[in-house]
Amino acid sequence: MAFATGEGYAQVYGIGQPATMAQIQGWDIDVRGDDGLGLPPGKGTVKQGEEIYLSQCASCHGEFGEGNGRWPELMGGNGTLTSDDPRKTVGSYWPYAPTLFDYVRRTMPFTAPQSLSNDEVYAVTAYILHLNDLLPADAELDAAGLKAIRLPNRDGFIAEDPRPDTKSASEPCMRGCRTAPPRITSDLAERLGVTPTRTPKD
């Protein structure tokens, strides 16, 4: 094992060993959203996904992706993002379909993450997309098909945050700046008595 020193040279301690390709592949499982880079070989059908979903996912997310209790819903919500009660689901909010595969493979099912095969993850992904009317009931999904799916909110995210406080340091906002120190106008402890003021002991 080698570490870079302050001089830029490597100091070898003679411990550890290089990671094998198999070990690296076990960690290198992320999938890029916009172009699906990292999607593995495999395929699954909506029908297969329904069976897996009902046995592995429905207890939390509901039989039709409607959410169970406080667990998140996975379908519906179209047209609600600008309402007072936005429903952020795969069909209404997510911008990229490949990230659904990535999330399911890395984190689901909740009690046994990364226990599904790639084929099973493709199948579950296909079923969830079907629940959102993005795949027909007889569809089969693989990497190419998943990359080709364009989710409804694909263009709903902005590339640059318009808030002035998020601009780069080279463009500081210098308008409307406070010149006087802040002034306390209300004291919750005195007004409501929720936090009594401590008096120093003699």
Side-chain angles (χ1 to χ4, degrees):
M1 182 176 290
F3 296 90
T5 67
E7 303 297 326
Y9 297 101
Q11 184 173 353
V12 179
Y13 289 92
I15 59 175
Q17 61 187 18
T20 66
M21 286 305 299
Q23 290 171 328
I24 293 173
Q25 289 173 357
W27 285 92
D28 187 19
I29 62 172
D30 62 297
V31 176
R32 198 159 64 188
D34 57 348
D35 61 4
L37 182 66
L39 283 170
K43 60 183 178 180
T45 67
V46 171
K47 181 62 177 175
Q48 293 167 338
E50 181 180 15
E51 296 173 1
I52 300 168
Y53 180 93
L54 290 175
S55 65
Q56 301 281 354
C57 317
S59 61
C60 293
H61 296 289
E63 291 187 9
F64 302 102
E66 73 277 14
N68 192 7
R70 297 180 64 86
W71 296 99
E73 56 187 343
L74 303 176
M75 53 78 68
N78 289 332
T80 68
L81 297 183
T82 57
S83 71
D84 292 336
D85 184 24
R87 293 170 56 201
K88 297 181 178 180
T89 72
V90 172
S92 69
Y93 181 71
W94 286 35
Y96 303 118
T99 57
L100 176 57
F101 179 98
D102 177 71
Y103 191 82
V104 171
R105 179 168 66 161
R106 286 187 295 106
T107 66
M108 296 291 135
F110 182 73
T111 56
Q114 297 185 33
S115 63
L116 299 178
S117 68
N118 290 336
D119 287 345
E120 289 174 322
V121 176
Y122 274 114
V124 170
T125 302
Y127 181 64
I128 295 173
L129 292 172
H130 169 66
L131 291 177
N132 285 277
D133 297 323
L134 296 168
L135 276 181
D138 60 351
E140 182 178 74
L141 188 66
D142 59 9
L146 188 55
K147 294 176 187 178
I149 294 175
R150 189 175 182 87
L151 296 185
N153 199 38
R154 173 72 176 261
D155 298 323
F157 288 77
I158 55 177
E160 182 178 346
D161 194 326
R163 294 173 297 177
D165 58 330
T166 63
K167 298 291 184 182
S168 65
S170 62
E171 300 178 5
C173 174
M174 301 304 293
R175 296 186 303 275
C177 300
R178 180 186 295 273
T179 56
R183 182 171 59 91
I184 298 175
T185 59
S186 177
D187 189 325
L188 192 62
E190 292 182 0
R191 190 154 55 92
L192 300 180
V194 294
T195 307
T197 303
R198 288 179 174 233
T199 55
K201 294 182 179 179
D202 295 334

